[in-house]
Amino acid sequence: MSSRKLTRGVLITALLFSALPAVSFAAQPADPARAYADLTAQATKLNEEVLRAQEDLVLRRAELERATTDVAAAQQIERQAKSDENGYREQVDLITQASFEGARFNQLSALLVADSQQDFLNRLEMMRVLASDNADSLARLSGAVEKARQAHQAAENSRSRAAEATSAAERLKGDLDGRSRALQDQIGEVRAALTRLPAPVVKQLRDPGDRSAVSVPSGTAGIALAFALAQRGDEYKYGSTGPDQWDCAGLTMKAYAAAGYTIPRTSGGQAAVGRVVSRGEVRGGDLIVYYSSRSHVAMAVDNARAVHASTEGQPVKIASIDAIGPIAVIRRIEG
């Protein structure tokens, strides 16, 4: 009997616990270091999305500007074509009116009214010229009408493209504003996570690491690498391109700009420049793009190390290529 009561009590207790909210582990505070790492990864990805959206917005606005210019040009052509059409129509109308008022553009009419043989020949020539002018005026009128029609259609097409570009730019601007606000919120969470880290961990994160002299290759890659290495110790800041604050793609973009080579602003864009090289082929100056989202980029120092603007709370520093994150693609700009 007592055994059945005990069993019943265990079952009731188990049912009560199963009905309670699952708080035993989920409510426990997350590991600060893990939370910081997760938040920085999310913020880095969001920063890349914001930068890509900014690039798209610039492209859309340029498209809108081109469409607006096309509209103005097409309208000018249409106005000129309409003017030409009106002028040629007046010429045709004059000839038509003259014909209705008694002019006969044929040999019989010329013979009947001629005073002499020479007068007959002169009248024939005049008739030929007038007939030619009439045909030419009709052809010009027809051409002007068609040109006006085409110009009008071109203007309408340009207006349509301008309207579409405007709509796309407005949608993109709204999306960009939303992403920017989300990024600022995310950055705030990252900074809050930093304050929860133990002091020794924060000190380690802020350590600029190896700042000793590094041998760089010759050419464009060497100039770019020397620029990136010179920024070691600079602060990381989302969306920054220097001179003393950087995000990852801002650093690599400016490094290659210093070498006279233009590459895209985003790590995703940089993942498509130059040519692909394998992990074993990596050498100084190569761009190493990380994560499936291609949201982070570093520059190889040699086959083992890379210099990069890491994330909030960490300065530009040298790190192991393979320790930075999962590699998505490696690109060589030169050679």
Side-chain angles (χ1 to χ4, degrees):
M1 185 68 177
S2 60
S3 175
R4 286 199 297 271
K5 287 183 178 180
L6 179 60
T7 302
R8 187 182 302 165
V10 170
L11 289 173
I12 292 171
T13 302
L15 288 171
L16 287 172
F17 272 103
S18 66
L20 290 174
V23 298
S24 58
F25 291 102
Q28 295 298 318
D31 173 51
R34 181 70 265 168
Y36 166 75
D38 290 344
L39 288 168
T40 55
Q42 294 167 18
T44 298
K45 183 179 179 181
L46 189 55
N47 181 58
E48 174 71 8
E49 291 174 356
V50 168
L51 292 174
R52 290 179 189 178
Q54 288 174 339
E55 283 189 336
D56 286 345
L57 182 57
V58 170
L59 292 175
R60 297 294 186 188
R61 284 174 171 167
E63 181 181 348
L64 173 58
E65 186 174 344
R66 287 193 299 271
T68 302
T69 301
D70 289 347
V71 168
Q75 287 174 335
Q76 177 60 35
I77 293 172
E78 184 178 9
R79 285 192 293 270
Q80 183 60 51
K82 285 289 186 183
S83 175
D84 292 344
E85 178 185 347
N86 292 334
Y88 297 138
R89 194 177 297 281
E90 287 177 4
Q91 293 180 29
V92 172
D93 289 345
L94 285 173
I95 294 173
T96 301
Q97 181 181 0
S99 177
F100 276 118
E101 289 176 354
R104 294 293 181 267
F105 302 118
N106 54 57
Q107 293 186 16
L108 178 60
S109 62
L111 178 63
L112 292 175
V113 299
D115 295 332
S116 64
Q117 183 179 7
Q118 185 59 48
D119 184 36
F120 170 67
L121 294 175
N122 290 339
R123 287 176 180 275
L124 280 182
E125 177 61 19
M126 182 181 67
M127 294 300 104
R128 187 190 67 77
V129 170
L130 287 173
S132 176
D133 286 348
N134 187 43
D136 183 60
S137 294
L138 285 170
R140 289 175 181 273
L141 173 60
S142 177
V145 169
E146 177 60 18
K147 188 175 182 180
R149 186 194 68 76
Q150 292 178 356
H152 180 78
Q153 185 61 52
E156 289 301 318
N157 292 341
S158 294
R159 285 191 191 97
S160 178
R161 285 195 296 110
E164 290 174 2
T166 301
S167 178
E170 289 173 351
R171 289 195 303 271
L172 198 60
K173 181 62 168 62
D175 178 64
L176 178 58
D177 290 343
R179 288 171 185 261
S180 296
R181 288 191 295 270
L183 176 59
Q184 293 307 311
D185 292 342
Q186 192 74 29
I187 292 171
E189 292 185 31
V190 170
R191 290 173 178 167
L194 267 173
T195 64
R196 293 191 291 269
L197 293 175
V201 175
V202 174
K203 182 179 179 180
Q204 182 180 3
L205 290 175
R206 296 193 183 282
D207 182 3
D210 181 10
R211 301 182 72 173
S212 63
V214 175
S215 177
V216 300
S218 60
T220 300
I223 297 172
L225 178 55
F227 180 94
L229 289 169
Q231 315 313 315
R232 283 176 289 178
D234 281 0
E235 180 183 355
Y236 180 95
K237 185 178 181 181
Y238 294 100
S240 293
T241 58
D244 52 12
Q245 294 178 319
W246 310 89
D247 67 12
C248 63
L251 176 63
T252 49
M253 179 191 71
K254 282 298 183 70
Y256 268 99
Y261 198 100
T262 301
I263 62 175
R265 168 66 182 91
T266 63
S267 56
Q270 293 175 20
V273 297
R275 67 180 181 89
V276 174
V277 296
S278 68
R279 175 65 184 86
E281 296 175 304
V282 171
R283 68 188 189 201
D286 289 346
L287 297 178
I288 306 170
V289 182
Y290 293 88
Y291 307 105
S292 59
S293 60
R294 302 189 174 192
S295 55
H296 188 67
V297 62
M299 183 179 293
V301 174
D302 48 39
N303 191 260
R305 302 174 299 164
V307 58
H308 69 142
S310 177
T311 191
E312 181 79 23
Q314 301 183 45
V316 176
K317 64 173 71 175
I318 290 176
S320 165
I321 289 175
D322 300 306
I324 292 174
I327 297 173
V329 66
I330 303 169
R331 310 292 297 200
R332 180 164 298 158
I333 304 302
E334 177 189 61

